[in-house]
Amino acid sequence: MADVRVNAEAPQNPAHTETRREDYRPPDWLVPETELRFTLGIEKTRVQSKLKVERNPEGAPGAPLLLNGDDLKPVGVWIDGARSDDWSMKGSDLLIPLDGDSHEIGIETEISPAANSKLMGLYASNGMLCTQCEAQGFRRITFFPDRPDVLSKYRVRMDADKAQFPILLTNGNPVATGEGDGRHWAEWEDPFPKPSYLFALVAGDLKANRDTFTSMSGRKVDLGIWVREADLPKTAHAMASLKQAMQWDEETYGREYDLDLFNIVAVSDFNMGAMENKGLNIFNSAYILADQDTATDVDFDNIARVVAHEYFHNWSGDRVTCRDWFQLSLKEGFTVFRDQSFSADIGSPAVKRIDDVRTLRMIQFQEDSGPLAHPVRPDSYIEISNFYTATIYNKGAELIRMMKTVLGPKKFRAGTDLYFERHDGEAATCDDFVKALEDASGVDLTHLKLWYSQAGTPHVTARLEQDGGKAKLHLGQIVPPTPGQPVKKPMAIPLKTALIGKASGAEIAPERLIMLEEAEQTVEFDNVGEAALLSINRSFSAPVVMDVERGDGELEKLAASDTDPFARYEAIQELMLRWLAATANGETVDSGAVLQAVGGTLRSNQLDPAFKAEAILPPSESLIGDRMAVIDPDAIHAAREQLRSAIGKELAGELSNAQLGGGQPGEDLSKEAKGARRLRTIALNLLAAGDPDKGAQLAKAQFDSADNMTDRQGALVVLASLDAPEREQALKAFYDRYEDDPLVIDKWFAVQASAQRADTVDQVQALAEHAKFAITNPNRLRSIAAAFGMNQWAFHDASGRGYRFLADLILKADKVNPQVAARMVPPFGRWRRFEEKRAAMMRAELERMLETPGLSKDLYEQLSKSLA
Ligand SMILES: [Zn+2]
């Protein structure tokens, strides 16, 4: 009974067990009510819990009560008020044999927030205390059935030193407070039953930006964004975004906020972006704090997006939660879709779609074609933290988008209304969601459900064959094998398609929705008046790889005239990709069509600057790699540099106009001003590729005169890749100016780790030794590790030093924070795609990491799967 301190992550035993979806069983015991008392301290916190437990009629008859724990030992256990020794430890969990159907269980534990470097459960950050419980952090605070289908009503009392922790916050509403002897306490109650992963607590010396929101039924909601006093002026944008999101959710989904109070807290040490705890969202400070001097337009947009995302979870996640973690996309896919729609509505829909698709292709498509590929609803996991992936989030959102495309907006809304009504207060499944859409719309969605269970990105081929007024569209699809799924069925793929007149540039066959459901399918068009060009997968209606038979001339025409902005963007990008892949393969190809398309885009009077910026930006080196049978990073880099340089030289006049004319006052955050700034920096980037000396001068001038972070950082990014005295001057000036602002210093690290230079590996090695590098802070760690891992040319340096550097960093990080360390593995996972020498070196690093004694199960799972 004494040796109960079992670490669930048992480093000496690498046989970490898998949890499987098909093994789901309802809980044996329910916990309708939970009372928690915290005696808070940084070094030591005492947690007393009182759980009202009831036997679940759907559970196993006579089963004992199993309460999950992680790195905990009980100081005492009480059954119905009497201290009891009748319990045992099963691994790290607490097992209590119980007769009868209803009891009150008391448990006392003691934890050390200061020693909690995993940042899961209750931990200390900059002198404050805060929590992160999703997915399985609550079991690091107290013993509990820590699974999302056990919903409980919480009453929480927090007791703390008043000077050290003047502010005490938790979920729900405050109901009582008191003080004496330098201490104070507060008791809060959350009227909505919730799973333990939504529990939150914050204690610290914080100040609030306060505001109110009047909901659609006239309820006044008090809003608070809590930060350190010095950061208060940087919370205005987050507050405005929150109010905008609350109103949008009422108008778009009919969802109203349900408590009198909504609080957000910003913390500097946080594993994820933010967390939707009921009534008390906890945020990575990067997604709250912004002003024109320290945040870019992208930061401002990300803040609006993440604030909205977490707020939207109040319904899609909190009021209706997930039955088990395999259903994670039920809340995440849907909520990402909701935040994407929100951002599109408040900004530019076409540019937002381009941005979302770029993220999907660069992260999710790579995941889906590698060893870590998994379905949107996975079948098994070793560590659930490893499944907070682009597949669950972004592909999950695409799946919801396809359902909406098939149903149309009205029926989709009727479906979500029914879903919220039917499952309010419940833990639901992805099947429940689809069923609600089907029942409300009368439309059978069975064919789309395969997207939940079948992994891999479908590859679709399309060829248009025209004979006079008749045209035939020949479609085909293949879904490549993925781990555990060697043979695939054809998917249901909604393709928005139109025909564009080759001569007129007009839409000669209006957009229609074609459902590709077979391996091969032919679709006919009648009354086609002139030679037609194929515009397909418009607005990226399906998350697939398209291979369309179209000549460069046809693409050039579509780049200038396609009526769908996304398809127009695709035509330009496709032209560039073809040229880049051919050049990287050693072919000599004419760049005329590419330069024509880019020049025409830049000169267009109809296109807005934000669209121009996205369209003329050459595809990333990793996207070019996806086109090649074997990835050669040096050849890809050389090809991309050649194209950038050609554009910079040939279109110097147009680019100079965009760069010089793009100066906008920093306080102007309209989409027009943001678009002009974005185009300005991309133009600068291309100009510098065409003429590095002139580029360095222009960039330094933009850097020095900038009145906002977008222009300043944009210029710094350009300079960071150049060999010019201006580079060192700007890096030093930037550092000196922002030395005490951690979020901006993160940018300073990331800009250098992303630089396109032959010596970037040396640079990141030096950065990892910098006084301001801290492996314990996830943002700082990511500022090097994530940026460098995405920097294809530098990470895949032919010497293999990039691999060695990142592998060493991952091993170090694993000792501190396994969750964050495991997320640094994916760049290694693509080793099979690279040329022989690099593939061998990557594999060797994976094996070296896997053979290291004492690995966390988080890292073990990612490494072993990457090698499998
Ligand atoms: Zn979320």
Side-chain angles (χ1 to χ4, degrees):
M1 200 172 320
D3 63 353
V4 288
R5 201 186 165 285
V6 179
N7 189 331
E9 285 163 13
Q12 61 277 34
N13 174 16
H16 301 296
T17 54
E18 263 196 344
T19 306
R20 294 184 307 170
R21 183 164 60 88
E22 62 186 26
D23 292 340
Y24 174 83
R25 300 286 176 274
D28 296 324
W29 289 84
L30 303 173
V31 188
E33 286 171 33
T34 299
E35 258 185 65
L36 299 172
R37 275 170 172 255
F38 287 86
T39 310
L40 295 163
I42 296 268
E43 295 298 332
K44 195 174 87 177
T45 285
R46 175 162 295 233
V47 187
Q48 295 159 291
S49 75
K50 215 184 266 180
L51 313 178
K52 194 176 166 208
V53 300
E54 284 174 4
R55 202 174 278 284
N56 183 6
E58 289 168 34
L65 176 66
L66 181 81
L67 302 172
N68 304 113
D70 177 5
D71 219 355
L72 287 181
K73 61 179 173 187
V75 177
V77 173
W78 289 261
I79 300 173
D80 298 319
R83 190 162 180 143
S84 167
D85 284 332
D86 192 12
W87 53 271
S88 61
M89 295 300 290
K90 185 184 175 192
S92 51
D93 300 335
L94 178 64
L95 198 65
I96 308 177
L98 289 175
D99 297 326
D101 290 339
S102 171
H103 296 279
E104 190 190 271
I105 305 297
I107 299 164
E108 194 172 313
T109 54
E110 224 171 63
I111 51 180
S112 174
N116 184 355
S117 68
K118 292 181 180 175
L119 313 185
M120 287 294 287
L122 180 72
Y123 64 93
S125 171
N126 273 343
M128 65 186 274
L129 292 172
C130 67
T131 53
Q132 170 59 30
C133 292
E134 186 178 2
Q136 297 179 335
F138 192 73
R139 63 183 65 183
R140 295 168 56 78
I141 296 174
T142 186
F143 291 97
F144 198 82
D146 193 14
R147 42 188 289 170
D149 58 351
V150 174
L151 277 64
S152 190
K153 273 193 187 173
Y154 284 71
R155 192 178 174 95
V156 177
R157 183 181 158 119
M158 298 161 284
D159 183 308
D161 183 278
K162 195 176 177 188
Q164 193 181 6
F165 302 110
I167 299 299
L168 303 172
L169 305 168
T170 182
N171 316 87
N173 302 310
V175 288
T177 55
E179 62 180 289
D181 294 337
R183 296 188 71 81
H184 69 151
W185 59 267
E187 205 164 295
W188 290 50
E189 221 174 48
D190 184 354
F192 294 97
K194 64 171 175 288
S196 50
Y197 81 87
L198 290 173
F199 170 80
L201 179 153
V202 171
D205 188 1
L206 298 164
K207 293 283 183 285
N209 173 356
R210 291 176 194 273
D211 207 329
T212 60
F213 177 82
T214 305
S215 74
M216 61 186 184
S217 70
R219 172 205 286 268
K220 193 176 134 242
V221 183
D222 288 319
L223 310 175
I225 297 183
W226 297 85
V227 295
R228 293 178 315 156
E229 188 165 18
D231 289 331
L232 267 181
K234 293 187 185 175
T235 55
H237 177 66
M239 181 60 88
S241 303
L242 173 61
K243 293 167 77 172
Q244 221 171 355
M246 293 176 88
Q247 191 177 339
W248 185 91
D249 210 20
E250 291 184 348
E251 289 166 359
T252 315
Y253 282 89
R255 299 295 111 197
E256 185 178 5
Y257 188 63
D258 49 12
L259 288 165
D260 302 331
L261 189 59
F262 185 80
N263 282 318
I264 289 177
V265 178
V267 298
S268 2
D269 301 287
F270 203 73
N271 284 349
M272 306 285 278
M275 178 63 210
E276 71 262 24
N277 319 295
K278 182 78 188 184
L280 177 58
N281 289 0
I282 299 182
F283 270 64
N284 186 325
S285 53
Y287 293 107
I288 291 295
L289 304 179
D291 63 17
Q292 119 188 18
D293 189 49
T294 57
T296 62
D297 292 338
V298 171
D299 294 329
F300 277 97
D301 289 348
N302 281 335
I303 288 170
R305 170 176 66 82
V306 180
V307 166
H309 177 98
E310 305 308 332
Y311 173 74
F312 296 156
H313 268 315
N314 189 58
W315 276 96
S316 49
D318 298 2
R319 288 283 287 257
V320 184
T321 189
C322 308
R323 187 193 72 174
D324 54 71
W325 291 119
F326 298 103
Q327 321 291 330
L328 181 56
S329 196
L330 173 73
K331 75 178 180 78
E332 294 306 342
F334 186 26
T335 306
V336 169
F337 175 67
R338 276 148 61 68
D339 81 52
Q340 288 178 346
S341 312
F342 167 77
S343 297
D345 284 354
I346 65 168
S348 158
V351 174
K352 174 65 181 157
R353 190 67 188 132
I354 288 169
D355 204 33
D356 289 338
V357 173
R358 180 183 294 132
T359 306
L360 188 80
R361 283 178 171 154
M362 283 185 59
I363 302 173
Q364 200 279 324
F365 278 19
Q366 296 214 350
E367 187 170 273
D368 228 357
S369 61
L372 298 173
H374 54 275
V376 170
R377 184 183 52 206
D379 295 316
S380 68
Y381 58 76
I382 293 177
E383 170 52 59
I384 183 59
S385 297
N386 287 334
F387 283 81
Y388 285 71
T389 60
T391 297
I392 306 290
Y393 278 65
N394 303 65
K395 189 178 184 180
E398 294 298 324
L399 173 46
I400 306 291
R401 185 182 296 269
M402 286 191 283
M403 291 191 227
K404 184 175 177 183
T405 299
V406 168
L407 294 180
K410 267 199 172 143
K411 286 182 176 170
F412 179 73
R413 169 64 196 273
T416 59
D417 282 354
L418 181 62
Y419 167 70
F420 289 126
E421 186 193 317
R422 192 182 267 176
H423 298 290
D424 190 6
E426 286 182 7
T429 63
C430 298
D431 287 337
D432 292 332
F433 182 82
V434 180
K435 185 81 170 60
L437 294 192
E438 290 182 325
D439 290 352
S441 66
V443 177
D444 183 355
L445 294 172
T446 313
H447 55 323
L448 283 174
K449 283 174 77 172
L450 193 57
W451 285 89
Y452 278 114
S453 54
Q454 192 162 277
T457 308
H459 287 238
V460 175
T461 54
R463 179 171 61 86
L464 189 72
E465 183 188 23
Q466 190 170 2
D467 184 8
K470 277 199 186 301
K472 272 188 188 168
L473 173 60
H474 302 282
L475 296 168
Q477 63 161 307
I478 291 173
V479 189
T482 50
Q485 298 185 339
V487 182
K488 301 292 173 88
K489 293 180 198 148
M491 312 280 279
I493 299 172
L495 296 167
K496 286 187 182 168
T497 306
L499 299 183
I500 307 290
K502 207 170 194 167
S504 65
E507 218 172 83
I508 51 172
E511 181 175 295
R512 62 194 257 201
L513 185 66
I514 295 170
M515 285 302 291
L516 170 61
E517 300 194 52
E518 311 295 330
E520 283 180 6
Q521 212 168 306
T522 300
V523 181
E524 297 194 356
F525 292 82
D526 293 323
N527 306 317
V528 184
E530 58 175 299
L533 300 171
L534 179 62
S535 172
I536 192 164
N537 205 20
R538 288 155 72 90
S539 72
F540 204 68
S541 55
V544 299
V545 173
M546 290 296 308
D547 180 3
V548 189
E549 231 184 77
R550 286 183 298 211
D552 282 4
E554 292 178 299
L555 284 172
E556 199 187 321
K557 181 77 194 173
L558 286 169
S561 60
D562 199 312
T563 47
D564 176 60
F566 184 83
R568 193 165 172 173
Y569 158 84
E570 285 281 81
I572 304 172
Q573 294 284 309
E574 178 61 26
L575 269 175
M576 289 203 237
L577 263 175
R578 281 185 188 181
W579 187 91
L580 289 161
T583 305
N585 275 327
E587 299 164 35
T588 308
V589 259
D590 179 51
S591 56
V594 176
L595 293 170
Q596 279 292 335
V598 173
T601 304
L602 270 170
R603 288 186 292 268
S604 163
N605 294 323
Q606 293 151 13
L607 299 171
D608 60 63
F611 178 88
K612 288 183 184 181
E614 301 308 329
I616 68 166
L617 178 68
S620 71
E621 294 184 5
S622 69
L623 286 180
I624 306 166
D626 289 345
R627 285 291 174 106
M628 304 185 68
V630 176
I631 302 176
D632 177 345
D634 291 331
I636 291 172
H637 180 73
R640 191 168 185 273
E641 288 306 297
Q642 196 184 329
L643 179 63
R644 283 174 5 96
S645 166
I647 297 174
K649 286 195 177 97
E650 288 288 321
L651 301 167
E654 288 88 340
L655 292 168
S656 289
N657 288 343
Q659 197 264 332
L660 293 171
Q664 301 286 328
E667 72 261 18
D668 186 351
L669 289 175
S670 65
K671 61 182 173 187
E672 291 76 19
K674 285 182 193 167
R677 280 193 289 264
R678 172 94 172 127
L679 181 59
R680 179 181 206 203
T681 287
I682 287 180
L684 176 65
N685 205 303
L686 293 166
L687 280 168
D691 184 344
D693 291 339
K694 190 159 173 251
Q697 290 163 21
L698 274 175
K700 188 64 172 36
Q702 178 174 318
F703 181 86
D704 289 337
S705 65
D707 74 340
N708 64 85
M709 181 53 88
T710 308
D711 285 343
R712 191 174 295 127
Q713 183 188 270
L716 190 66
V717 166
V718 172
L719 286 168
S721 297
L722 296 176
D723 274 315
E726 289 89 344
R727 174 184 193 268
E728 304 312 320
Q729 293 160 13
L731 280 169
K732 180 171 187 314
F734 192 89
Y735 183 86
D736 290 346
R737 177 174 180 149
Y738 295 109
E739 200 176 350
D740 299 321
D741 188 325
L743 292 176
V744 184
I745 292 302
D746 289 338
K747 296 181 192 300
W748 183 81
F749 276 96
V751 163
Q752 294 175 78
S754 312
Q756 299 297 297
R757 299 173 61 85
D759 66 351
T760 294
V761 182
D762 303 306
Q763 305 270 348
V764 289
Q765 278 174 339
L767 287 173
E769 302 295 324
H770 193 276
K772 286 208 184 284
F773 181 70
I775 207 162
T776 48
N777 178 265
N779 286 356
R780 188 58 47 85
L781 179 56
R782 280 188 285 255
S783 74
I784 293 186
F788 182 64
M790 299 274 283
N791 187 344
Q792 179 166 293
W793 187 48
F795 174 59
H796 296 281
D797 188 281
S799 66
R801 290 163 63 230
Y803 305 144
R804 175 52 63 105
F805 168 76
L806 192 61
D808 284 343
L809 196 58
I810 291 172
L811 288 173
K812 264 189 223 161
D814 190 48
K815 298 271 174 246
V816 179
N817 190 329
Q819 205 182 98
V820 174
R823 287 201 196 108
M824 292 155 59
V825 174
F828 283 100
R830 290 169 56 72
W831 61 275
R832 284 184 183 84
R833 295 276 290 110
F834 284 80
E835 53 82 20
E836 232 172 281
K837 269 182 79 180
R838 285 180 173 88
M841 290 190 287
M842 291 169 83
R843 189 194 164 129
E845 288 300 330
L846 282 166
E847 284 167 350
R848 179 174 72 93
M849 286 191 274
L850 190 61
E851 282 157 15
T852 305
L855 288 186
S856 70
K857 69 173 171 176
D858 306 59
L859 188 55
Y860 170 81
E861 177 172 35
Q862 297 293 77
L863 294 174
S864 55
K865 285 184 176 169
S866 295
L867 281 162

